[in-house]
């Protein structure tokens, strides 16, 4: 394993070096939080694909393939569909708003009174997303070094916190590009063909497995529908995803770069399911489906290649973890702390804002590591996060983009009613049940429409300013001349 260890150590050292390099380019708030809004299509596509394809998509996607066959691709497939929908229908308008958070968008659309409550919901979602990604380090480092769970979480989490704190979105963008390349080589170009060949090819796989493993709908229609509600719609409204849209250099980059990333996700989904199906042939009696990825990597890949593929799994976790961490810190600082202190829009100096956001990433990072050490059930934590996100925020966000008659009272009612309904239904049906997100989303929609129609329309001046920003005629931000345009 010495060669494999060397590959991993070089990879981790490279991540820290990228963080240091990114620090030199983070000279303003825009640089630190959204990479100066200067990413070209290549970097934008790579970093967007990196953040949405995390440990759940890689290790979990292979595990679903092991358990259900090709239909196990549906979870990651719905993530790709959500990214495609966001890119084609909404990303250009979102990028033109020139904001930093989803809550700032809601304030622009509804008149400045929806930010704190929506910010709290979004903060809870990004925090749990960061925590669950951080817990995944324990699995990977256990495979690599037989490392204690707590030590593994601290090691992996500290590296992500370090490079994220140093350079903000510039560091995360640079590291995500490396992670995207490593994942592509490790999973698609190496592990996928090796797994199929070792399993005897598709003919042998069909002969040894039940026909349900090759049924595209074998995982079940209700499960697929739930994936669409949680992951496809979750891609449309998550702060971690929107913050990447804000990094795009222009409308075309946001639209077409995101479309390329979404298409890549569809391919990655199928690859994970095929790898899992091959693992089922090779190891029919694993203790847990989530062990399939680590087992096939350890047993079937040669030295050196094994280290690269494990680095790919580490890259998947790190990209999601760092994206969720900067989103969590951005929401905590801009949408909650600044508003509570009454400093929103106060004109704080750019240098001070960089330092303030850097401090928030460090504080949130320490909190994420501590929570990850204390938390055991990853699936339940992630389910709570997505249920609150979709049940509380999907309707007011999409309503604001699509329905002119929506009002701030309707938006607040949708957030509160949908959020409380999700929490109450999870307590009644169980956290992992499908009903909470179904009925929570329906109650949020009813509250939004009913309250909006019962209250006065949004002020004409607010809507006029909203239309100006959507058209890209808002005041552009100054761009640091020292930061090059990246293709």
């Amino acid at each position: 394993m010495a060669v494999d260890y060397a590959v991993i150590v070089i990879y981790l050292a490279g991540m820290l070096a990228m963080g240091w390099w990114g620090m030199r380019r983070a000279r303003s708030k825009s640089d630190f939080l959204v990479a100066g809004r200067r990413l070209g299509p290549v970097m934008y596509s790579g970093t967007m694909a990196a953040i949405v394809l995390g440990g759940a998509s890689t290790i979990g996607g292979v595990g679903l393939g092991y358990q259900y066959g090709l239909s196990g691709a549906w979870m990651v497939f719905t993530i790709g569909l959500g990214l495609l929908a966001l890119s084609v229908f909404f990303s250009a308008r979102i990028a033109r708003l020139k904001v930093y958070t989803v809550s700032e968008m809601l304030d622009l659309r509804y008149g400045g009174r929806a930010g704190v409550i929506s910010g709290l919901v979004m903060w809870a979602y990004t925090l749990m997303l960061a925590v669950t990604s951080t817990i995944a380090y324990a699995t990977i480092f256990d495979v690599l070094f037989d490392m204690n769970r707590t030590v593994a979480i601290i090691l992996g989490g500290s590296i992500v916190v370090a490079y994220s704190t140093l350079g903000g979105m510039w560091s995360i963008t640079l590291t995500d590009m490396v992670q995207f390349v490593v994942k592509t080589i490790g999973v698609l170009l190496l592990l996928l063909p090796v797994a199929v060949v070792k399993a005897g090819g598709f003919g042998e796989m069909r002969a040894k497995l039940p026909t349900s493993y090759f049924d595209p709908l074998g995982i079940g229609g209700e499960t697929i529908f739930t994936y669409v509600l949680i992951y496809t719609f979750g891609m449309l409204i998550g702060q971690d995803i929107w913050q990447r849209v804000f990094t795009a250099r222009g409308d075309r980059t946001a639209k077409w770069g995101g479309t390329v990333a979404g298409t890549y996700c569809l391919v990655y989904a199928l690859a994970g399911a095929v790898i899992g199906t091959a693992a089922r042939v090779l190891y029919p009696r694993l203790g847990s489906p989530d062990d399939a990825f680590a087992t096939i990597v350890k047993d079937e890949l040669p030295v050196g290649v094994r280290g690269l593929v494990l680095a790919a799994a580490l890259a998947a976790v790190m990209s999601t973890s760092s994206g969720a961490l900067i989103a969590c810190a951005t929401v905590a600082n801009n949408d909650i702390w600044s508003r509570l202190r009454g400093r929103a829009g106060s004109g704080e100096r750019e240098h001070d804002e960089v330092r303030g956001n850097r401090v928030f990433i460090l504080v949130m990072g320490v909190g994420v590591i501590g929570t990850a050490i204390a938390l055991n059930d990853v699936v339940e934590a992630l389910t709570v996060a997505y249920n609150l996100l979709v049940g509380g925020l999907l309707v007011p966000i999409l309503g604001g983009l699509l329905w002119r008659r929506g009002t701030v009272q309707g938006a607040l009612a949708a957030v509160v009613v949908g959020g409380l309904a999700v929490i109450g239904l999870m307590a009644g049906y169980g956290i992992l049940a499908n009903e909470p997100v179904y009925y929570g989303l329906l109650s949020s929609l009813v509250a939004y429409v009913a309250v909006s129609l019962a209250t006065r329309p949004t002020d004409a001046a607010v809507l006029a300013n909203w239309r100006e920003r959507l058209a890209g005629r808002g005041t552009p931000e100054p761009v640091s001349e020292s930061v090059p345009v990246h293709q």
Side-chain angles (χ1 to χ4, degrees):
M1 291 288 289
V3 176
D4 296 324
Y5 292 160
V7 172
I8 299 299
V9 169
I10 292 170
Y11 169 76
L12 295 176
M15 295 300 98
L16 292 174
M18 291 289 183
W20 184 263
W21 189 24
M23 182 177 67
R24 299 169 57 193
R25 285 153 175 76
R27 300 173 183 266
S28 68
K29 178 181 179 180
S30 176
D31 290 337
F32 192 82
L33 294 182
V34 291
R37 308 188 194 275
R38 294 174 65 82
L39 296 191
V42 174
M43 289 196 74
Y44 179 85
S45 298
T47 58
M48 183 63 87
I51 187 176
V52 300
L53 296 174
S57 300
T58 303
I59 299 171
V62 171
L64 286 171
Y66 181 89
Q67 189 173 3
Y68 297 104
L70 298 186
S71 67
W74 272 106
M75 183 187 78
V76 183
F77 201 83
T78 55
I79 290 173
L81 292 178
L83 186 52
L84 285 172
L86 174 70
S87 302
V88 172
F89 299 113
F90 301 110
S91 62
R93 286 186 286 174
I94 292 170
R96 286 196 293 263
L97 291 174
K98 295 293 189 289
V99 295
Y100 292 101
T101 67
V102 174
S103 294
E104 288 181 31
M105 168 264 169
L106 292 174
D107 281 349
L108 269 176
R109 168 59 181 83
Y110 294 113
R113 288 176 288 171
V116 174
I117 294 177
S118 61
L120 286 170
V121 175
M122 190 64 75
W123 176 79
Y125 158 73
T126 54
L127 177 69
M128 284 296 98
L129 185 61
V131 166
T132 53
S133 300
T134 302
I135 291 173
Y137 297 129
T139 302
I140 297 172
F141 282 114
D142 178 58
V143 173
L144 288 172
F145 307 115
D146 193 22
M147 188 178 290
N148 174 270
R149 178 181 185 275
T150 299
V151 175
I153 289 173
I154 292 174
L155 175 60
S158 296
I159 292 171
V160 169
V161 172
Y163 72 69
S164 301
T165 302
L166 285 172
M169 187 60 82
W170 271 119
S171 293
I172 293 170
T173 296
L174 294 170
T175 55
D176 276 0
M177 277 304 298
V178 175
Q179 290 158 357
F180 170 74
V181 172
V182 170
K183 278 193 290 191
T184 301
I185 296 173
V187 176
L188 296 185
L189 301 184
L190 294 176
L191 183 57
L192 175 62
V194 168
V196 172
V197 170
K198 292 285 186 178
F202 286 101
E204 189 71 13
M205 290 161 64
R206 281 185 174 275
K208 290 187 175 181
L209 294 173
T211 55
S212 62
Y213 267 68
F214 302 92
D215 180 356
L217 304 179
I219 199 170
E222 184 178 354
T223 299
I224 295 171
F225 182 66
T226 302
Y227 284 159
V228 170
L229 280 184
I230 293 177
Y231 296 114
T232 300
F233 287 131
M235 287 296 106
L236 298 180
I237 59 175
Q239 170 67 25
D240 52 325
I241 309 302
W242 277 42
Q243 200 155 342
R244 295 310 173 95
V245 176
F246 301 151
T247 66
R249 188 174 61 198
D251 294 3
R252 289 179 61 84
T253 296
K255 183 175 182 178
W256 297 112
T259 300
V260 170
T263 304
Y264 178 90
C265 291
L266 304 183
V267 175
Y268 200 88
L270 184 59
V274 171
I275 292 168
T277 304
R280 184 71 182 216
V281 173
L282 295 168
Y283 314 101
R285 292 181 177 84
L286 288 179
S288 167
D290 286 341
D291 292 338
F293 180 88
T295 303
I296 197 169
V297 169
K298 282 199 304 182
D299 292 353
E300 305 298 338
L301 295 180
V303 172
V305 173
R306 180 171 50 202
L308 183 60
V309 174
L310 288 173
L314 196 58
V317 176
M318 281 187 160
S319 56
T320 300
S321 181
S322 59
L325 176 59
I326 194 171
C328 178
T330 303
V331 171
N333 189 13
N334 286 27
D335 294 339
I336 300 174
W337 179 246
S338 293
R339 294 168 192 269
L340 293 177
R341 292 185 62 189
R343 293 193 298 104
S346 65
E348 185 180 17
R349 288 182 302 164
E350 288 283 285
H351 175 74
D352 293 336
E353 290 202 56
V354 171
R355 183 176 61 186
N357 281 292
R358 188 171 276 138
V359 169
F360 263 86
I361 289 182
L362 180 59
V363 171
M364 290 295 110
V366 172
V368 164
I369 292 172
T371 307
I373 292 171
L375 199 63
N376 289 319
D377 199 319
V378 180
V379 176
E380 289 194 357
L382 195 59
T383 301
V384 170
Y386 270 102
N387 282 354
L388 281 173
L389 177 71
V390 174
L393 291 181
L394 178 68
V395 169
I397 291 172
L398 293 189
L401 288 168
L402 300 173
W403 191 39
R404 179 175 177 175
R405 185 62 180 81
T407 67
V408 65
Q409 294 88 351
L412 290 172
V415 174
V416 173
V417 172
L420 291 177
V422 164
I423 293 171
L425 290 165
M426 283 192 295
Y429 284 98
I431 290 176
L432 299 180
N434 293 326
E435 287 83 359
V437 71
Y438 294 168
Y439 299 129
L441 190 57
L442 180 61
S443 63
S444 179
L445 177 61
V446 171
Y448 180 72
V449 173
V451 175
S452 292
L453 292 176
T455 53
R456 294 181 59 184
T458 303
D459 185 84
V462 171
L463 286 178
N465 180 56
W466 168 253
R467 287 193 295 271
E468 287 288 305
R469 294 291 288 268
L470 278 180
R473 292 192 287 267
T475 304
E477 295 174 299
V479 177
S480 172
E481 294 182 359
S482 63
V483 180
V485 174
H486 280 256
Q487 298 298 323

